[in-house]
Amino acid sequence: MDFVVYQMRKQGVEIKKELLGDQPQLIGDLVITCAADMRGRPTKVARLQRESGEILLELTDVQIDAFKGPRMVLKGIEHKQTNQGPAEYAQQWLCVQAGAPLPMTSRERFFKESGGSRH
């Protein structure tokens, strides 16, 4: 099933909720499976991937944190390669089913709250 996914953390630090709509929109199939981790133990893995199978995002030790209508929040561990080597960060994804209303950008929110025009 297609979802639009917003990463809710950057290097483990929470992004303010009012800025979530400013994050890049990553769209793809959301797949949650069980796989072996580096130690061989089973763990839940969430992947956002294209139809071709290309993986856009991946979380390990994934859990559903919240679920309401066409939205859910997944939390887990994000693995990144940094200049200092491999790193793990806490990560949360806001997953919005394709076709459902998306979070407003800060620009849209500003004009809505100020009642101004967008020119």
Side-chain angles (χ1 to χ4, degrees):
M1 181 175 284
D2 279 344
F3 278 86
V4 178
V5 173
Y6 297 90
Q7 294 180 314
M8 299 175 71
R9 293 176 176 268
K10 185 170 183 164
Q11 295 182 335
V13 178
E14 186 175 357
I15 296 169
K16 292 181 179 183
K17 288 184 182 8
E18 58 269 12
L19 298 178
L20 281 180
D22 295 349
Q23 301 302 309
Q25 294 180 8
L26 298 169
I27 302 170
D29 292 327
L30 184 61
V31 179
I32 300 175
T33 61
C34 191
D37 69 5
M38 291 180 268
R39 297 181 194 112
R41 67 182 176 100
T43 185
K44 289 181 188 163
V45 178
R47 291 185 180 102
L48 183 69
Q49 58 191 41
R50 294 206 166 106
E51 285 187 28
S52 66
E54 175 190 359
I55 297 172
L56 303 171
L57 296 173
E58 183 175 270
L59 284 181
T60 59
D61 291 332
V62 73
Q63 298 174 5
I64 296 175
D65 194 44
F67 191 96
K68 185 174 183 181
R71 294 178 177 221
M72 70 176 154
V73 175
L74 299 179
K75 66 180 181 179
I77 305 297
E78 174 183 32
H79 301 271
K80 289 255 185 179
Q81 187 64 35
T82 68
N83 293 336
Q84 291 80 28
E88 295 180 336
Y89 298 104
Q91 181 59 271
Q92 290 180 290
W93 294 349
L94 170 61
C95 306
V96 183
Q97 189 174 356
L102 300 176
M104 283 192 286
T105 64
S106 58
R107 180 178 171 87
E108 290 169 333
R109 182 175 282 106
F110 171 79
F111 285 110
K112 181 180 178 184
E113 291 172 359
S114 69
S117 67
R118 295 182 181 212
H119 302 293

